[in-house]
Amino acid sequence: MTQKRSAGLLLFRQTGDGNASADGIEVLLGHMGGPFWERRDAGAWGIPKGEYGLDETPRDAARREFTEEIGLPPPDGPYLPLGEVRLVGGKLVTIWAVRADLDPALMVPGTFTMEWPQGSGRVEEFPELDRVAWFPPPVARTKLVTSQIPFLERLLGLLEG
């Protein structure tokens, strides 16, 4: 069995005087769509990302997945590599940070289908992300799924370094 891989883009923007320090930034996170996540907030937000196969580079996949999940073209670089994290289930996630500004109101989310309610035989369509929003790092830490917090910490380290 081939190991599952996922890649994505973590957008950040300056909010203060344009200083590139971690103090004056916000990051763009997406709230996961579907019935499991609809009433959750803490730990229910993530970096726009998705799976890819052996026929695609991780960076190309990150750009494609950004478009699929947010419905907008990915921003141009430079892309800052934030490395990889191996999830408990074994999936390898690779993320890049890119400085960009995006109006969350312009998002047109991609969708997925699933049987809902489970066991009903009825298939419904849900948005992959039901909303996106900008958060300062202290708030983003509380919103992010735990496995993605290292990417935020790596970004902050790059900006402070």
Side-chain angles (χ1 to χ4, degrees):
M1 183 166 111
T2 305
Q3 174 181 344
K4 288 188 177 186
R5 296 176 181 271
S6 189
L9 298 178
L10 177 59
L11 271 58
F12 69 98
R13 67 181 181 183
Q14 301 301 134
T15 58
D17 60 6
N19 181 359
S21 76
D23 292 336
I25 72 157
E26 291 179 324
V27 294
L28 184 76
L29 303 178
H31 185 268
M32 291 180 262
F36 180 75
W37 300 101
E38 69 183 336
R39 289 187 178 87
R40 299 174 189 220
D41 189 56
W45 293 73
I47 299 166
K49 64 172 185 50
E51 290 186 6
Y52 66 95
L54 297 174
D55 61 336
E56 190 174 24
T57 68
R59 186 173 155 176
D60 287 345
R63 291 176 54 82
R64 175 185 50 76
E65 284 293 334
F66 184 88
T67 300
E68 286 180 12
E69 294 208 354
I70 299 209
L72 299 170
D76 292 327
Y79 285 62
L80 306 173
L82 300 180
E84 300 174 333
V85 168
R86 186 173 307 281
L87 305 182
V88 174
K91 181 190 285 186
L92 191 62
V93 178
T94 307
I95 300 293
W96 283 265
V98 60
R99 185 186 311 221
D101 202 351
L102 179 145
D103 180 352
L106 299 177
M107 180 183 96
V108 181
T111 60
F112 68 95
T113 56
M114 66 180 274
E115 180 184 24
W116 190 257
Q118 290 181 341
S120 68
R122 202 169 97 205
V123 176
E124 290 201 34
E125 187 172 63
F126 299 97
E128 291 196 37
L129 299 174
D130 57 23
R131 62 192 179 276
V132 295
W134 291 100
F135 298 104
V139 176
R141 278 186 197 93
T142 68
K143 303 277 186 187
L144 270 169
V145 292
T146 304
S147 63
Q148 294 181 16
I149 292 173
F151 296 117
L152 175 63
E153 299 302 333
R154 291 172 189 172
L155 171 62
L156 298 177
L158 284 173
L159 296 176
E160 289 171 353

